Coordinates of all heavy atoms in Angstrom, one line a residue:
A21 N -8.6 15.9 1.3 CA -8.5 17.2 0.8 C -9.8 18.0 1.2 O -9.7 19.1 1.6 CB -8.3 17.2 -0.7
G22 N -10.9 17.3 1.0 CA -12.2 18.0 1.2 C -12.3 18.4 2.6 O -12.7 19.5 3.0
I23 N -12.0 17.4 3.6 CA -12.2 17.7 5.0 C -11.2 18.8 5.5 O -11.5 19.7 6.2 CB -12.1 16.4 5.8 CG1 -13.2 15.5 5.5 CG2 -12.0 16.7 7.3 CD1 -13.2 14.1 6.0
R24 N -9.9 18.7 5.0 CA -8.9 19.6 5.5 C -9.3 21.0 4.9 O -9.2 22.1 5.6 CB -7.5 19.3 4.9 CG -6.4 20.1 5.4 CD -6.1 19.8 6.9 NE -5.2 20.8 7.4 CZ -5.4 21.6 8.5 NH1 -6.6 21.6 9.1 NH2 -4.5 22.4 8.9
A25 N -9.9 21.1 3.7 CA -10.3 22.4 3.2 C -11.4 23.0 4.0 O -11.3 24.2 4.4 CB -10.8 22.2 1.7
A26 N -12.3 22.2 4.5 CA -13.4 22.7 5.3 C -12.9 23.2 6.6 O -13.3 24.2 7.1 CB -14.5 21.6 5.5
Q27 N -11.9 22.4 7.2 CA -11.3 22.8 8.5 C -10.7 24.2 8.3 O -10.6 25.0 9.3 CB -10.3 21.9 8.9 CG -10.8 20.5 9.4 CD -9.8 19.5 9.6 OE1 -8.6 19.7 9.1 NE2 -10.1 18.4 10.3
L28 N -10.2 24.5 7.1 CA -9.5 25.8 7.0 C -10.4 26.9 6.4 O -9.9 27.9 6.0 CB -8.3 25.6 6.0 CG -7.2 24.7 6.6 CD1 -6.1 24.3 5.5 CD2 -6.5 25.4 7.8
G29 N -11.7 26.6 6.4 CA -12.7 27.6 6.0 C -12.8 27.8 4.5 O -13.4 28.8 4.1
L30 N -12.3 26.8 3.8 CA -12.6 27.0 2.3 C -13.8 26.3 1.9 O -14.2 25.2 2.5 CB -11.4 26.2 1.6 CG -10.0 26.8 1.8 CD1 -8.9 25.9 1.2 CD2 -9.9 28.2 1.3
R31 N -14.5 26.7 0.9 CA -15.7 26.1 0.4 C -15.2 25.0 -0.7 O -14.7 25.4 -1.6 CB -16.6 27.1 -0.3 CG -17.4 28.0 0.7 CD -18.0 29.2 0.0 NE -16.9 29.9 -0.8 CZ -17.1 30.5 -1.9 NH1 -18.2 30.6 -2.5 NH2 -16.0 31.1 -2.5
A32 N -15.5 23.8 -0.3 CA -14.9 22.7 -1.1 C -16.1 21.7 -1.5 O -17.0 21.6 -0.8 CB -13.8 22.0 -0.4
C33 N -15.9 21.1 -2.6 CA -16.8 19.9 -3.0 C -15.9 18.8 -3.5 O -14.8 19.0 -3.9 CB -17.9 20.3 -4.0 SG -17.2 20.6 -5.6
V34 N -16.4 17.6 -3.2 CA -15.7 16.4 -3.8 C -16.7 15.7 -4.7 O -17.8 15.4 -4.5 CB -15.4 15.4 -2.5 CG1 -14.8 14.1 -3.0 CG2 -14.5 16.1 -1.5
I35 N -16.1 15.5 -5.9 CA -16.9 14.8 -6.9 C -16.4 13.3 -7.1 O -15.2 13.1 -7.2 CB -16.7 15.5 -8.4 CG1 -16.9 17.0 -8.2 CG2 -17.7 14.9 -9.4 CD1 -16.6 17.8 -9.4
E36 N -17.3 12.4 -7.1 CA -16.9 10.9 -7.1 C -17.9 10.2 -8.1 O -19.2 10.3 -8.0 CB -17.0 10.3 -5.7 CG -16.8 8.8 -5.6 CD -15.4 8.3 -6.3 OE1 -14.4 8.8 -5.9 OE2 -15.6 7.6 -7.3
K37 N -17.3 9.5 -9.0 CA -18.2 8.8 -10.0 C -18.5 7.3 -9.5 O -19.4 6.7 -10.0 CB -17.5 8.8 -11.3 CG -16.3 7.9 -11.4 CD -15.8 7.9 -12.9 CE -14.4 7.0 -12.9 NZ -13.9 6.9 -14.2
D38 N -17.8 6.9 -8.5 CA -18.0 5.5 -8.0 C -18.3 5.5 -6.6 O -19.0 6.4 -6.1 CB -16.8 4.7 -8.4 CG -17.1 3.2 -8.5 OD1 -18.1 2.7 -7.9 OD2 -16.2 2.5 -9.1
K39 N -17.8 4.6 -5.8 CA -18.2 4.5 -4.4 C -17.2 5.5 -3.6 O -16.0 5.5 -3.8 CB -18.0 3.1 -3.8 CG -19.1 2.2 -4.3 CD -19.1 0.8 -3.6 CE -19.7 0.9 -2.3 NZ -19.8 -0.4 -1.7
P40 N -17.7 6.2 -2.6 CA -16.9 7.1 -1.8 C -15.8 6.3 -1.1 O -16.0 5.1 -0.6 CB -17.9 7.7 -0.8 CG -19.2 7.5 -1.4 CD -19.1 6.3 -2.3
G41 N -14.6 6.8 -1.1 CA -13.4 6.2 -0.4 C -12.4 5.7 -1.4 O -11.3 5.3 -0.9
G42 N -12.8 5.6 -2.7 CA -11.8 5.3 -3.7 C -11.3 3.9 -3.7 O -12.0 3.0 -3.1
I43 N -10.2 3.6 -4.3 CA -9.6 2.2 -4.3 C -9.3 1.7 -3.0 O -9.6 0.6 -2.6 CB -8.3 2.3 -5.2 CG1 -8.6 2.6 -6.6 CG2 -7.6 1.0 -5.1 CD1 -9.5 1.7 -7.3
C44 N -8.7 2.6 -2.1 CA -8.2 2.2 -0.8 C -9.2 1.5 0.0 O -9.1 0.4 0.4 CB -7.6 3.4 -0.1 SG -7.1 3.1 1.5
L45 N -10.3 2.2 0.2 CA -11.4 1.7 1.1 C -12.2 0.6 0.5 O -12.6 -0.4 1.2 CB -12.3 2.9 1.6 CG -11.8 3.6 2.8 CD1 -10.4 4.1 2.6 CD2 -12.8 4.8 3.1
N46 N -12.4 0.7 -0.9 CA -13.4 -0.2 -1.5 C -12.7 -1.4 -2.0 O -13.3 -2.6 -1.9 CB -14.2 0.5 -2.6 CG -15.0 1.6 -1.9 OD1 -16.0 1.3 -1.3 ND2 -14.7 2.8 -2.3
V47 N -11.6 -1.3 -2.7 CA -11.0 -2.5 -3.4 C -9.5 -2.4 -3.2 O -8.7 -2.8 -4.1 CB -11.4 -2.6 -4.9 CG1 -12.9 -3.0 -5.0 CG2 -11.1 -1.2 -5.6
G48 N -9.0 -1.9 -2.1 CA -7.5 -1.9 -2.0 C -7.2 -2.2 -0.5 O -7.4 -3.3 0.0
C49 N -6.6 -1.2 0.2 CA -6.1 -1.4 1.5 C -7.0 -2.1 2.5 O -6.5 -3.1 3.1 CB -5.8 0.0 2.2 SG -5.2 1.3 1.1
I50 N -8.2 -1.7 2.6 CA -9.1 -2.3 3.6 C -9.6 -3.7 3.4 O -9.4 -4.5 4.2 CB -10.3 -1.2 3.9 CG1 -9.7 0.1 4.3 CG2 -11.3 -1.8 4.9 CD1 -8.8 0.0 5.5
P51 N -10.2 -4.0 2.2 CA -10.6 -5.4 2.0 C -9.5 -6.4 2.1 O -9.6 -7.5 2.6 CB -11.3 -5.4 0.7 CG -11.0 -4.1 0.0 CD -10.7 -3.2 1.1
T52 N -8.3 -6.0 1.6 CA -7.2 -6.9 1.6 C -6.7 -7.1 3.1 O -6.4 -8.3 3.5 CB -5.9 -6.4 0.9 OG1 -5.6 -5.0 1.3 CG2 -6.1 -6.5 -0.6

Side-chain angles (χ1 to χ4, degrees):
I23 293 171
R24 187 72 188 119
Q27 286 170 347
L28 294 170
L30 300 172
R31 285 164 308 146
C33 69
V34 174
I35 308 169
E36 173 56 61
K37 66 176 182 182
D38 202 339
K39 289 188 81 176
I43 294 298
C44 175
L45 271 53
N46 294 294
V47 288
C49 326
I50 298 303
T52 49

